[in-house]
Amino acid sequence: MFFLTLLFFCSFIFSGQAYSDDQVTSLPGLSGPLDFKMYSGYLDASPGTHLHYVFVESENDPAKDPLLLWLNGGPGSSSLLGFFTEQGPFQLNGNSSLDRNPYAWNKVANVIFLESPSGVGYSYSDSGNYSHSDDSTSLDTLLAMKSWFNKFQAFENHSFYLAGESYAGVYIPTLSVRLLEEPDINYVGFAIGNGYLDQYLLGNSIVRFAYYHGFIDTQTWSKIVSFCCKNGNESPDSCNFANNTDIKCIEVVNDANDFIISIGLNSYAIYDDCATEELNYSSEIQSLRAESLESWHLVHNIIRAIFYKNSEIKTLSFPCFDKEDLNNYLSRSDVRDALKIPKNLTDWTFFSLNVTNNYETQYPSLKKQVIASIKAGKRGLIYNGDTDMVCDFLGDQWFSDQLGFKQIGKYKPWYVDNQVAGFVKNYEGFSYATVRGSGHTVPEYRPAAALYMIERFLSNKSLA
């Protein structure tokens, strides 16, 4: 009995030490003290792998509110982007000061931001090897979460949700099916924003998205339909823009790709202006031309090819996407010290080209994983900002329709502050929603709608 009491006491001391070692008491640029608890530290994944996390307790009722893991995409994008530019509690100003975010998701939930996989942001491996795959990433994330629950044992019975955007459309479903085998984790559901959920469907939808938003003229569209659709009949079932082997189809779609990429359009939010000077695309497109004719003849994959796969590009630059202020802030020594970052690590960048260039994608579609999760009783939300062309709403809505779950009710609008915030379609076990006027990163472009949407989801209430 004495031994058990001592063991319990030691476990309590260890848990408390984990809390105190990682607690952040102040952040440079923030006026005034933190009025909620914040932690930053490292979680152990596979041997020698250390994933950096930031955790903020709920401003409402941390002892009762749900727990949410947030993952940004890429592969190679840091979840600290989410923390400082989307739904985190702070927003960075140009003068390196921090403002409070009135639409932070920790208004309604305890939120973990995980930099995954290793090599992203301040996550690292002892070996320096940053070759990853979809499966190894989901395994490391699961192991990291087990490490987190070991540190924060007070949260082990909280309802646990996954959320993320973009390539998290792969991260979340692959992690979700692993969590189905973890009864000790109270996993409840997932929310995926502008997700890279199905390569083929997004490949087919993006061409239509471009035409119906005025980026392709009628003559070019007529050629595309003639060469890429059966009997020249334009419909989702008869057209194949994604992996068509007809050389005429490939060439005309490539011509449309080249035009869209060259004009300096913000593909992540088509009605927004560009925040940066554009790259000269001509040499990159020319060097990829042979590869494009074989397998990269989509706007979506051409963009990925230029910025992710071209070995001639040594530094990463995204058109219209400027995060230099955040790079500078998170690389400051006082900020690193506040976040408990080892001094031997290199400066923070929002995107790791090293990870992306050594990443193995394994799942062209995530239907199997999403279906398994919903059938296991996990609630789902798939949502899209409707001005994003990179992972557009058409492809993800087709994906939702094809999962095979019965639709409940009609497609209808949902509202925030008496204004149409988007449209929603409910199915047995999950919902699909659009967010009106939002780009790729919904909590950044439509913060009020994003907070309302996630609060309704966590409360198991329909948007409409």
Side-chain angles (χ1 to χ4, degrees), residues 303-463:
I303 292 171
R304 287 179 56 80
I306 289 176
F307 297 109
Y308 304 165
K309 300 298 183 183
N310 190 343
S311 61
E312 298 302 314
I313 299 177
K314 302 304 181 185
T315 59
L316 189 69
S317 179
F318 285 83
C320 312
F321 193 70
D322 184 8
K323 299 299 179 186
E324 193 62 29
D325 285 346
L326 187 57
N327 284 345
N328 293 336
Y329 176 79
L330 284 170
S331 297
R332 284 170 41 179
S333 59
D334 56 346
V335 176
R336 289 169 60 116
D337 288 344
L339 296 177
K340 328 287 184 173
I341 305 301
K343 295 188 182 300
N344 62 311
L345 296 185
T346 58
D347 286 347
W348 185 90
T349 58
F350 76 90
F351 200 99
S352 171
L353 191 61
N354 188 24
V355 168
T356 301
N357 282 340
N358 293 285
Y359 193 94
E360 179 188 357
T361 58
Q362 296 174 279
Y363 298 102
S365 176
L366 280 299
K367 288 180 183 176
K368 179 180 178 181
Q369 292 85 349
V370 172
I371 290 171
S373 299
I374 295 171
K375 285 186 174 181
K378 309 308 173 186
R379 292 192 293 108
L381 171 64
I382 297 172
Y383 65 90
N384 284 76
D386 62 12
T387 74
D388 173 31
M389 191 167 67
V390 177
C391 293
D392 67 85
F393 73 94
L394 276 175
D396 283 350
Q397 187 170 180
W398 291 347
F399 176 88
S400 300
D401 289 338
Q402 293 180 16
L403 292 177
F405 295 94
K406 181 181 178 181
Q407 183 175 335
I408 302 170
K410 296 181 179 180
Y411 184 72
K412 50 192 173 183
W414 59 282
Y415 296 84
V416 174
D417 296 329
N418 297 317
Q419 299 294 324
V420 175
F423 297 84
V424 62
K425 188 187 295 188
N426 296 310
Y427 304 80
E428 289 182 344
F430 80 104
S431 297
Y432 172 80
T434 64
V435 183
R436 185 172 68 93
S438 174
H440 188 68
T441 50
V442 171
E444 179 179 15
Y445 286 97
R446 290 291 184 267
L451 177 59
Y452 178 83
M453 179 176 63
I454 200 66
E455 182 176 18
R456 299 288 292 185
F457 174 65
L458 296 176
S459 301
N460 197 17
K461 297 176 182 177
S462 175
L463 283 174

